[in-house]
Amino acid sequence: MILVTGGTGLVGAHLLAYLVRNEQRVKAIYRTLDKLEAVKNVFSYYFDNPTPFFDKITWLKADVTDIPSLELAFENVTHVYHVAALISFDPKDFDTLRKINIEGTANIVNLCIAHGVKKLCFVSSVAAVGENEDPTIPITEETHWNPEIDNSVYAISKYGSEMEVWRGSQEGLDVVIVNPAIILGAGFWRLGSGSLFRKIDKGLKYYTNGVLSYVDVQDVVYIMIQLMESDIKSERFVLVAENWTLEKFTKTTAKALHVQPPTKEASPFLLAIAWRMDWLRQFFTGKHRRLTKQTAKSIQSQSFFDSSKIQNALNFKFKPLEETIERVSKHYRN
């Protein structure tokens, strides 16, 4: 029996579709019933009649921060995909990020050990991988994390989550960790990468020449399943299909959506003003940040990630990014 946490998010929903298509027995946890509709929508991308496949999942109301609710979910479970996480770059959310991402992961690891789970796959992020002082040197799984630099609150929480998983490995739990870049996939248009398609469709004015890294959600899910079914353990893998400038990504997506691409480059000076203005907006209104100092830094970064390790381990080839953007844009339009 497989347990999936975060089954009502982008990766979790696509993962569930793959698992039930392969006739796996699956449990998944949810927090609110309204989020299940989004999962059904994702299933419609894979099945002409999604309802029978959706109904194969045993849904349990639980929260990764609530151990009693998780105890029931872990009954008879042999394999766990821990996908649940909070994604936020707003410093105001740091305590919540610690609670959900670090303490929640510790709870999952502890229950895996207590229930004799055979293997755990944890979805981390490239945000938890280190940085090189020389941006021309590709970032890999061996790049060291530097706690002294100005890391985002999200990166800190995902790094802390990984430490909990490695602790579980030291205590005898078989684990694998995947570190995906920005995950592109259909079904969630107001959150994560889905909101990028929405913003570009509505008319994004500015771009930067910073380099960001992307990967197809279908590739992420396929790799996760292959790693869980393999003998590989106690390893982490960077998952990046391609490294593109934000200018190239926004203009390619605009073309796929048949809208006008952004035409103005946001200079470092403009971004410095923008994140400070956003801080003032939050200070006076209490609303969440749209652009933090760390986010402004990341969209100007020239760092590159190297996924050779996973490609060699599984003899795997990532989907071309243009193909992914075309598919996701079509789902967005529909």
Side-chain angles (χ1 to χ4, degrees), residues 113-278:
I113 295 170
H115 287 263
V117 168
K118 294 179 180 178
K119 199 169 186 179
L120 166 68
C121 177
F122 174 58
V123 180
S124 184
S125 166
V126 291
V129 182
E131 296 182 17
N132 291 317
E133 290 186 12
D134 183 351
T136 64
I137 300 175
I139 299 171
T140 71
E141 296 81 0
E142 303 303 318
T143 306
H144 293 292
W145 167 269
N146 183 359
E148 302 301 322
I149 65 174
D150 190 17
N151 295 295
S152 71
V153 288
Y154 175 67
I156 293 169
S157 74
K158 294 304 283 186
Y159 178 77
S161 304
E162 287 193 15
M163 294 303 99
E164 293 296 337
V165 175
W166 292 129
R167 171 183 62 80
S169 177
Q170 293 295 314
E171 295 180 26
L173 176 64
D174 285 355
V175 305
V176 287
I177 295 177
V178 292
N179 295 87
I182 297 171
I183 303 173
L184 304 179
F188 297 82
W189 306 114
R190 295 183 179 274
L191 299 169
S193 66
S195 67
L196 292 176
F197 287 82
R198 192 163 173 265
K199 289 175 182 176
I200 293 168
D201 179 54
K202 289 182 176 295
L204 195 64
K205 294 181 179 179
Y206 293 93
Y207 64 83
T208 75
N209 278 311
V211 176
L212 296 178
S213 305
Y214 305 88
V215 64
D216 193 309
V217 68
Q218 294 182 357
D219 284 345
V220 174
V221 166
Y222 177 84
I223 288 169
M224 290 166 62
I225 293 172
Q226 292 301 305
L227 287 173
M228 284 288 268
E229 293 178 351
S230 73
D231 294 328
I232 298 171
K233 62 181 180 179
S234 301
E235 297 282 356
R236 71 197 295 229
F237 298 92
V238 168
L239 307 187
V240 172
E242 297 183 62
N243 302 280
W244 277 15
T245 63
L246 193 55
E247 177 185 12
K248 183 177 180 180
F249 174 81
T250 53
K251 290 185 175 180
T252 302
T253 304
K255 181 179 179 182
L257 291 170
H258 306 293
V259 298
Q260 287 296 316
T263 56
K264 301 177 182 179
E265 181 179 355
S267 67
F269 178 72
L270 180 61
L271 287 169
I273 294 175
W275 73 256
R276 287 174 171 85
M277 293 295 293
D278 190 62

Side-chain angles (χ1 to χ4, degrees), residues 278-290:
D278 190 62
W279 181 88
L280 286 172
R281 181 189 64 85
Q282 183 203 52
F283 181 81
F284 287 110
T285 67
K287 294 181 179 180
H288 272 72
R289 298 286 297 274
R290 295 173 181 168

Side-chain angles (χ1 to χ4, degrees), residues 84-98:
L86 173 65
I87 301 175
S88 173
F89 298 90
D90 190 338
K92 281 184 64 176
D93 290 334
F94 186 53
D95 289 341
T96 308
L97 283 161
R98 286 182 58 88

